[in-house]
Amino acid sequence: MDSSFRKMLTRKILFLLYLPLLLWSCTDIVELELPEQEPQLVVNSMFTPDSAWSVDISASQNALSNAPYEQVQNATVEVYQGSKYLFNLAHTRNGKYKSEEALPKALEHYTLKVSAPGFPACEASNFAPALPATRALKVARASSSIDPNIPEAEVSFVLDDAPNTQNYYAISAYFPDTAYTGEAYKNYVGLDFQAPIEQEFTMGNSYFFSDKLIDGKATTLKQRYTLIEGKTVYLNIAQISPDYYHYARTLVKQSYNDNFMTTPGPVHNNIRNGLGIFAGYNTVTYHIKH
Amino acid sequence: MRRLYLVLLLALASSSYTALAQVTVSGFVQDARSGERLAGAMVSAGVTGTTTNTYGFYSLRVPSGALQVQVRYLGYTPLSFSAPTLRRDTLITLQLQPLENELREVTVTAEKVTDLQQANRLSMRSAELKQLPRLMGEADAVKALQLMPGVQAGREGSSDMHVRGGGPDQNLILLDGVPVYNVSHLLGMFSVFNPDAIKNVDLVKGGFPAPYGGRLSSIMDVQLKEGNNQQFSGEGAVGLISSKLLLEGPIRNEKTSYLVAARRTYLDALAAAAAALNGEKMSNYNFYDINTKINHTFSATDRLYLSVYGGQDKFSDKDEYAGQNQQEEQQFKMRWGNATSALRWNHIFGPRLFSNLTLTHSRYSFSQDTESSTIQSENKTQRQTEYSSSIKDWGAKADFDFAATARHSIRFGGSYTYHNFSPESTTLRTDTLTLTSDSFSTIRAHEFYTYADDRLQLSERLQATIGLHFSGFAVNGAFYTSLQPRLALGYTSAKGISIRASYATMAQYLHLLSNTSTGTPTDIWVPATDKVKPQRSWQTTLGAAASLAQNKLELTSDLYYKEMQDVAEFKDGGDFIGDFIRSGPETNFANFAAPPYETRIASGKGWSYGWETMLRKRQGRTTGWLAYTLAWSWRQLDSINHNQKYPYTYDSRHSIALVANHQLNERWSLGSSWVYRTGFATTLPLTRYKALEDPTAYRPGTYSPTIETADYLGERNNYRMPSYHRLDLSLTHTKKKNWGERSWNLSVYNAYNHKNPYYLYLSSTGSSTSSPRRLYQKSLFPVLPSVSYGFKF
């Protein structure tokens, strides 16, 4: 279902729901105070076997505050493998804590313990899944269904989903670019999912889906993107931990909830006694030269 | 004879001469002018008394001999009738004359407030609800009940009722005995009940008599007029956004009568006119409803009624776009509505046994149809999406009233309903593809109940009702049963103060799933299944009632406690419409976007308790009531709010309603109502925090929408909206004409323009400190004057 169609449907349904509001409503700014909440540690960290540990630590604030987030620079960040202490992460700059050389391992369960003066201590546990089992990558030239003059690349590969477990994936694609300011950056391309499944949601330029429809099966997945002649496109296929999937899903849902009558939903949080996300992923990257 | 009127005395030699010196006097109480049978009229003979049942039937066991019968009913001249010496069972139809001039202070109470049958029951006649100020010129039965103690309205303007802390799905709403599943027109601004066609509205909110079941919190019984069997008459009204007309009269003779009432809004015509004026296309909306009823009296003991209701809301919109290389057209249609019908046969087996057999059908359906077509480079592509949801019932029930002795009145009966649920069906058609998905396949279920109760007059002061209600539900191989005891006890002191207590258990085999916090047509009814249990509750009440000031005033006061098990809601973040919209055409909607509802809901318990009191005056120049409710309502559902208890969304600690109507003279009358309630509970984020940085979002020189902030919601319903209060006023001028009567009604809704909270929201987070985040309140109705013209002939 293309996005314009979805938007149109959304607009119509919400129009009906809002009909009385459109007829008579008025909006007032009300000077209401929210009760003060004690700040908590906010821990945001994604880890993967091919990158060093990196943790961002900040403080939560009143919902009405618009001040920049306070980055916590004096925290103690300990990494455990199971119950075994491994090492502390060092503060590098502005609330970022990193390891020097140590890399996470796939399928190992790690625990992060964070404490800082003035905040309740918190901790979280997670793991990086195995590399996604992909094979038989094929790239073919195609043309856009909207405009035959626009060339597209159709990428297909087989994903062997592991049976009897709930697996989650995220796909993104980019090519290195410097076109805007001369600074090197990753220029992410929009992906058009083909049958048999669509993405369930997107966050940023990542496309998320679960194995609900392909559980335990070998499935050929196809994506299309606008062909960029002469560029190398990097296709990232990541298997992500359930916590990361649920965090991204609920964060997107909370942020883009356009139905005022729906009770707002909480964002998934796996930090005990704190807020944020500590989750692992594991990525296969294909280089596609055009 | 202006005050007392006795038209018909029909004696049937229906039983043998009684050697026990006890005879039964039975029959109907009816309106002398229209032949309408009157439910709830008090009939007494000496120390023995009873009230007419829903069909206007009474039965009294009295000593043989001379008899003095008294009949009282609100709005009618009391009847005192001296019967000749009775030596056998006798059938007497009693006709009451409507009060010509209600300005007189007449101390007639309709249903004696101290009677045990009136405990936990709110009653309203058509004339009473028409006295209330009107929203957009339309009197409304549901809006009137929302002013009563123990009944919370939902969001402003809605037709939801939250009775004693229960949910809107926990009210069994009956139209002439047939369940109605969605009572809202225009998203609740009007209910589906045409006030002109209504005879009585009763709301039972606790101490449920044994004949009632199927919902946890209340029974709203809307009885329509039967049709005037004496003369042709009609009434109607023209309002700002809708008009209505009712016609009734006899067919050939007074044995057969009919009633037809229709109502339609002309918002669509107004929108079309506005569109023509400003040259822009506008959306199209309208609703209508039609009530028809016909009844025939075959004999003094047999009467047949056929009652049919149909109503529908329609919304449509069309967008067109024509560019240089592309043309697009999109059409959107949404419709929802109810249809009900009842075929009812009243039969009197004998002076002591009355029966009512009813065949019923009820249907509620919602559908949505979206079509889009695009023409590009001479290629045309089309897409159509259809979505529908429906529930259909067919049923039969039998009710019997048996006057066993002077002290025992027994009711018994049973019912069977065949349910056909189609909660969701989606079809997608494109040029190359047709996909149909019944994500919840059609579910067929069988529901039945049987009941019996005995209303005992234990002594002159002590009354009791002891009953049992047994129900069952068969669905998908699962079979649920529920044995529900119903007990009520009342004691009336020498000073006329009645103390009453009750205990009742209820079971409900349906759930209403809603992704919104107010009733919308997209809500879907689903049955209990082998995976989702039925809802169950028990409630106990303790109260007192008294008639004051020579019976001019009624005072009631009740304490209640209610527990509900296996109430269900969508899990946090559930977004039924959103899931549907976000699902793709190639996606198996059934398995992916909308998995079986059993997996999408959270179940748990709820409990509520409180105190209600009401002082009411129902007759005279000034009528109205003052009601106060102190209430608490809680929920605790698995996987919601970390499994901890939280206040129900419509929990409101204090509620006050002051309703007053005053007849200035024969032509002018004033009406007013003022309501106050503590704000409802809502969920607001109390804390915000930094979201995970999205590594794929960065792109120098461009704006990439990224999520920088997450809101921590804390506990569910953690914030109280500001208090709600509103004053409504009305002024009515009535004038007799040679053809009948006409009236002008001027109503002002929210007279002092208080901006009541409809919902609260926080503005989006931004990175600029120059636009601080604010808490906003959305209000719905400002001061809304309306005028309507009514006529009667």
Side-chain angles (χ1 to χ4, degrees):
Chain A
M1 192 179 287
D2 59 79
S3 61
S4 64
F5 189 70
R6 282 180 215 164
K7 281 179 188 167
M8 189 274 295
L9 260 179
T10 309
R11 192 163 57 86
K12 301 300 181 193
I13 293 172
L14 293 180
F15 180 85
L16 178 66
L17 296 177
Y18 297 159
L19 191 61
L21 286 174
L22 294 173
L23 289 171
W24 292 289
S25 69
C26 55
T27 304
D28 292 310
I29 298 172
V30 289
E31 299 297 333
L32 295 175
E33 290 295 320
L34 294 176
E36 276 300 326
Q37 303 289 303
E38 288 295 320
Q40 287 179 282
L41 287 173
V42 179
V43 178
N44 286 317
S45 175
M46 295 292 297
F47 60 93
T48 182
D50 61 9
S51 298
W53 292 93
S54 176
V55 178
D56 182 280
I57 299 178
S58 57
S60 65
Q61 59 190 36
N62 185 286
L64 291 179
S65 167
N66 212 30
Y69 289 111
E70 175 198 344
Q71 294 295 118
V72 177
Q73 308 193 32
N74 56 351
T76 302
V77 184
E78 299 171 328
V79 179
Y80 291 77
Q81 185 175 349
S83 58
K84 179 185 160 193
Y85 170 75
L86 294 181
F87 47 79
N88 276 23
L89 299 185
H91 182 247
T92 54
R93 62 178 175 83
N94 198 27
K96 304 271 189 211
Y97 295 78
K98 294 195 174 179
S99 63
E100 291 183 354
E101 292 178 357
L103 298 177
K105 293 177 186 166
L107 301 175
E108 289 291 345
H109 284 257
Y110 294 97
T111 297
L112 201 64
K113 294 186 177 180
V114 182
S115 59
F119 296 94
C122 63
E123 65 177 65
S125 300
N126 212 267
F127 70 100
L131 275 173
T134 61
R135 58 188 165 85
L137 180 83
K138 291 178 187 166
V139 182
R141 286 181 74 96
S143 58
S144 165
S145 57
I146 296 173
D147 184 348
N149 298 319
I150 299 175
E152 287 187 340
E154 182 174 281
V155 179
S156 67
F157 59 88
V158 176
L159 176 67
D160 294 307
D161 182 69
N164 305 320
T165 59
Q166 289 191 327
N167 301 307
Y168 302 92
Y169 303 94
I171 296 182
S172 62
Y174 69 92
F175 61 90
D177 205 352
T178 57
Y180 284 92
T181 60
E183 178 190 351
Y185 67 96
K186 294 174 179 175
N187 194 338
Y188 282 88
V189 298
L191 298 177
D192 183 8
F193 272 59
Q194 307 291 303
I197 60 169
E198 277 202 345
Q199 77 277 6
E200 293 169 19
F201 63 92
T202 61
M203 188 170 79
N205 289 296
S206 290
Y207 297 73
F208 291 78
F209 61 96
S210 65
D211 67 351
K212 283 177 191 168
L213 298 176
I214 56 172
D215 184 29
K217 297 177 191 163
T219 309
T220 301
L221 302 182
K222 289 180 186 173
Q223 287 88 38
R224 284 187 179 194
Y225 55 85
T226 303
L227 192 63
I228 305 108
E229 299 287 358
K231 297 284 186 185
T232 298
V233 169
Y234 294 79
L235 179 67
N236 294 325
I237 305 161
Q239 182 157 320
I240 61 178
S241 69
D243 277 311
Y244 181 37
Y245 172 86
H246 292 303
Y247 173 82
R249 182 179 59 81
T250 53
L251 181 64
V252 167
K253 202 157 195 167
Q254 186 188 76
S255 300
Y256 300 117
N257 179 17
D258 45 13
N259 184 351
F260 72 91
M261 290 196 267
T262 304
T263 304
V267 175
H268 179 73
N269 174 34
N270 71 343
I271 313 294
R272 290 183 293 278
N273 217 22
L275 298 166
I277 182 71
F278 174 63
Y281 66 100
N282 213 339
T283 307
V284 168
T285 302
Y286 289 104
H287 301 197
I288 303 166
K289 224 170 213 180
H290 294 293
Chain B
M1 204 158 128
R2 192 167 65 85
R3 286 168 285 110
L4 305 178
Y5 213 87
L6 176 66
V7 173
L8 182 65
L9 171 64
L10 178 62
L12 291 179
S14 58
S15 66
S16 59
Y17 178 84
T18 171
L20 297 173
Q22 287 270 318
V23 294
T24 301
V25 181
S26 60
F28 294 94
V29 176
Q30 61 188 44
D31 183 304
R33 283 190 193 162
S34 65
E36 287 282 343
R37 288 180 174 171
L38 304 175
M42 291 173 56
V43 183
S44 60
V47 296
T48 307
T50 188
T51 53
T52 53
N53 67 11
T54 307
Y55 313 100
F57 180 79
Y58 72 94
S59 181
L60 278 176
R61 293 283 287 166
V62 294
S64 62
L67 187 67
Q68 188 75 21
V69 179
Q70 310 274 341
V71 189
R72 291 169 177 268
Y73 191 67
L74 183 67
Y76 288 81
T77 304
L79 174 67
S80 182
F81 165 60
S82 298
T85 300
L86 299 178
R87 301 222 173 271
R88 63 186 64 192
D89 293 346
T90 306
L91 189 64
I92 303 176
T93 297
L94 301 163
Q95 301 216 37
L96 296 185
Q97 189 71 13
L99 279 170
E100 286 287 342
N101 182 357
E102 296 205 23
L103 298 185
R104 278 186 325 112
E105 291 285 347
V106 184
T107 54
V108 179
T109 49
E111 307 86 10
K112 199 173 175 184
V113 72
T114 52
D115 191 278
L116 184 59
Q117 309 309 319
Q118 299 308 315
N120 298 295
R121 180 186 290 264
L122 300 167
S123 299
M124 191 164 285
R125 287 186 310 142
S126 172
E128 288 177 294
L129 68 93
K130 285 182 181 176
Q131 288 176 332
L132 297 172
R134 303 168 186 183
L135 172 60
M136 303 307 294
E138 192 72 13
D140 194 282
V142 175
K143 297 281 186 293
L145 288 176
Q146 289 172 344
L147 297 169
M148 294 290 198
V151 184
Q152 287 288 352
R155 288 179 193 268
E156 180 157 38
S158 87
S159 289
D160 289 347
M161 292 193 297
H162 304 266
V163 180
R164 290 184 171 168
D169 62 323
Q170 294 175 356
N171 309 310
L172 177 60
I173 298 175
L174 300 170
L175 180 64
D176 267 347
V178 187
V180 180
Y181 286 97
N182 186 318
V183 299
S184 294
H185 281 314
L186 193 51
L187 301 175
M189 283 178 59
F190 305 111
S191 74
V192 297
F193 308 114
N194 184 338
D196 289 346
I198 291 175
K199 182 164 68 175
N200 281 312
V201 181
D202 280 345
L203 183 79
V204 183
K205 51 189 181 174
F208 299 99
Y212 290 136
R215 299 290 190 279
L216 299 193
S217 289
S218 82
I219 312 294
M220 179 181 175
D221 192 356
V222 180
Q223 299 144 33
L224 298 182
K225 292 176 184 169
E226 292 154 6
N228 193 327
N229 67 7
Q230 302 294 311
Q231 59 182 349
F232 174 73
S233 63
E235 61 183 299
V238 179
L240 283 182
I241 61 172
S242 66
S243 287
K244 58 192 174 181
L245 179 66
L246 177 145
L247 300 173
E248 57 183 329
I251 300 175
R252 289 192 179 175
N253 53 47
E254 62 185 43
K255 286 191 169 180
T256 309
S257 66
Y258 70 92
L259 177 145
V260 180
R263 182 168 59 157
R264 192 189 191 282
T265 181
Y266 23 79
L267 274 174
D268 49 347
L270 296 175
L277 285 174
N278 65 22
E280 288 183 8
K281 285 193 168 54
M282 291 190 73
S283 301
N284 200 327
Y285 172 82
N286 69 63
F287 74 76
Y288 72 87
D289 52 48
I290 300 172
N291 295 93
T292 57
K293 201 162 177 179
I294 186 165
N295 73 86
H296 179 73
T297 304
F298 289 93
S299 68
T301 56
D302 291 282
R303 193 171 190 183
L304 196 67
Y305 302 79
L306 176 65
S307 171
V308 178
Y309 165 82
Q312 195 167 64
D313 288 52
K314 292 181 190 172
F315 173 78
S316 63
D317 195 21
K318 188 175 178 180
D319 277 346
E320 289 173 330
Y321 166 78
Q324 240 179 348
N325 304 314
Q326 187 170 315
Q327 284 181 298
E328 287 181 22
E329 184 180 294
Q330 294 175 334
Q331 289 188 61
F332 178 82
K333 294 175 189 166
M334 192 185 270
R335 62 183 64 194
W336 66 98
N338 301 278
T340 69
S341 52
L343 181 64
R344 214 167 68 200
W345 173 39
N346 284 182
H347 176 68
I348 299 172
F349 283 98
R352 293 160 64 189
L353 183 60
F354 173 88
S355 73
N356 178 64
L357 177 68
T358 313
L359 303 176
T360 64
H361 171 63
S362 180
R363 176 174 61 86
Y364 170 66
S365 62
F366 167 77
S367 68
Q368 172 187 295
D369 186 357
T370 308
E371 285 180 57
S372 69
S373 64
T374 305
I375 301 173
Q376 191 174 42
S377 307
E378 298 180 353
N379 292 324
K380 185 174 183 182
T381 56
Q382 286 184 299
R383 179 195 292 269
Q384 182 180 12
T385 309
E386 293 171 2
Y387 167 83
S388 65
S389 170
S390 69
I391 175 170
K392 295 174 195 164
D393 292 349
W394 291 266
K397 63 177 176 178
D399 302 284
F400 297 89
D401 282 13
F402 177 59
T405 69
R407 293 180 179 275
H408 288 268
S409 178
I410 294 170
R411 291 180 293 189
F412 58 96
S415 167
Y416 165 79
T417 303
Y418 170 65
H419 297 283
N420 193 313
F421 299 88
S422 301
E424 281 183 325
S425 173
T426 309
T427 303
L428 176 81
R429 290 192 188 88
T430 67
D431 299 320
T432 57
L433 181 72
T434 297
L435 286 172
T436 298
S437 164
D438 291 318
S439 53
F440 308 153
S441 56
T442 298
I443 303 169
R444 295 174 180 85
H446 308 270
E447 183 175 3
F448 71 87
Y449 67 77
T450 182
Y451 70 89
D453 72 0
D454 186 0
R455 287 178 287 180
L456 301 113
Q457 189 73 43
L458 297 170
S459 71
E460 193 180 335
R461 303 198 183 286
L462 195 59
Q463 290 177 292
T465 303
I466 300 169
L468 268 181
H469 182 104
F470 177 72
S471 66
F473 191 74
V475 59
N476 286 356
F479 184 55
Y480 295 102
T481 57
S482 171
L483 183 63
Q484 302 159 30
R486 311 284 174 81
L487 302 168
L489 192 65
Y491 175 80
T492 306
S493 73
K495 291 185 176 178
I497 298 171
S498 164
I499 307 292
R500 60 269 183 110
S502 73
Y503 174 83
T505 60
M506 300 286 268
Q508 176 172 336
Y509 301 104
L510 310 179
H511 298 274
L512 180 66
L513 298 182
S514 173
N515 70 312
T516 66
S517 48
T518 190
T520 65
T522 56
D523 298 349
I524 53 175
W525 285 96
V526 294
T529 64
D530 49 333
K531 298 183 185 69
V532 179
K533 291 180 184 171
Q535 304 181 60
R536 295 174 197 268
S537 73
W538 65 268
Q539 184 183 171
T540 184
T541 67
L542 177 65
S547 293
L548 308 174
Q550 288 85 46
N551 291 338
K552 289 176 183 170
L553 297 172
E554 301 171 353
L555 178 65
T556 56
S557 184
D558 291 284
L559 293 164
Y560 66 90
Y561 181 85
K562 177 164 66 178
E563 275 195 15
M564 299 162 275
Q565 298 293 335
D566 297 307
V567 294
E569 288 183 18
F570 269 128
K571 287 176 180 169
D572 270 334
D575 186 348
F576 169 69
I577 301 172
D579 283 346
F580 167 59
I581 293 168
R582 277 185 280 274
S583 68
E586 288 82 20
T587 300
N588 184 339
F589 183 69
N591 293 325
F592 162 56
Y597 64 87
E598 291 104 324
T599 65
R600 296 161 66 195
I601 61 174
S603 296
K605 63 179 182 179
W607 62 101
S608 57
Y609 44 91
W611 172 59
E612 302 159 357
T613 189
M614 178 164 71
L615 183 66
R616 189 175 187 187
K617 185 170 185 294
R618 298 188 74 179
Q619 201 158 324
R621 292 174 74 95
T622 305
T623 58
W625 64 88
L626 172 63
Y628 171 73
T629 306
L630 174 68
W632 288 261
S633 182
W634 301 93
R635 294 289 186 274
Q636 188 169 15
L637 276 69
D638 296 339
S639 78
I640 290 182
N641 199 43
H642 312 291
N643 302 334
Q644 300 298 307
K645 75 168 187 177
Y646 58 91
Y648 180 52
T649 302
Y650 298 98
D651 172 50
S652 183
R653 194 71 62 246
H654 305 280
S655 302
I656 301 170
L658 176 59
V659 177
N661 305 294
H662 184 68
Q663 191 81 37
L664 292 167
N665 53 45
E666 286 195 357
R667 290 189 173 184
W668 291 94
S669 66
L670 283 169
S672 66
S673 66
W674 181 77
V675 289
Y676 168 91
R677 64 164 184 255
T678 312
F680 292 143
T682 189
T683 305
L684 285 179
L686 304 179
T687 296
R688 64 191 286 246
Y689 63 97
K690 187 178 179 181
L692 182 73
E693 286 176 19
D694 178 7
T696 69
Y698 177 66
R699 190 180 188 189
T702 63
Y703 171 71
S704 297
T706 58
I707 303 170
E708 296 173 345
T709 283
D711 282 325
Y712 174 62
L713 301 176
E715 294 191 354
R716 179 114 156 187
N717 289 340
N718 54 13
Y719 195 83
R720 284 281 162 187
M721 291 187 179
S723 299
Y724 179 103
H725 51 96
R726 192 188 80 227
L727 174 68
D728 302 337
L729 298 169
S730 72
L731 178 66
T732 305
H733 182 256
T734 307
K735 193 174 180 182
K736 299 277 184 203
K737 296 284 194 181
N738 53 12
W739 47 263
E741 182 182 288
R742 70 104 178 103
S743 65
W744 283 99
N745 177 277
L746 173 67
S747 286
V748 183
Y749 184 89
N750 194 10
Y752 55 82
N753 196 29
H754 183 250
K755 286 167 181 164
N756 285 303
Y758 191 62
Y759 65 95
L760 305 181
Y761 67 97
L762 285 168
S763 59
S764 301
T765 53
S767 55
S768 167
T769 52
S770 62
S771 56
R773 205 177 187 199
R774 306 293 291 268
L775 180 57
Y776 290 89
Q777 172 182 302
K778 200 81 173 175
S779 300
L780 188 56
F781 297 128
V783 55
L784 276 180
S786 64
V787 64
S788 60
Y789 172 82
F791 54 88
K792 252 185 200 178
F793 54 87

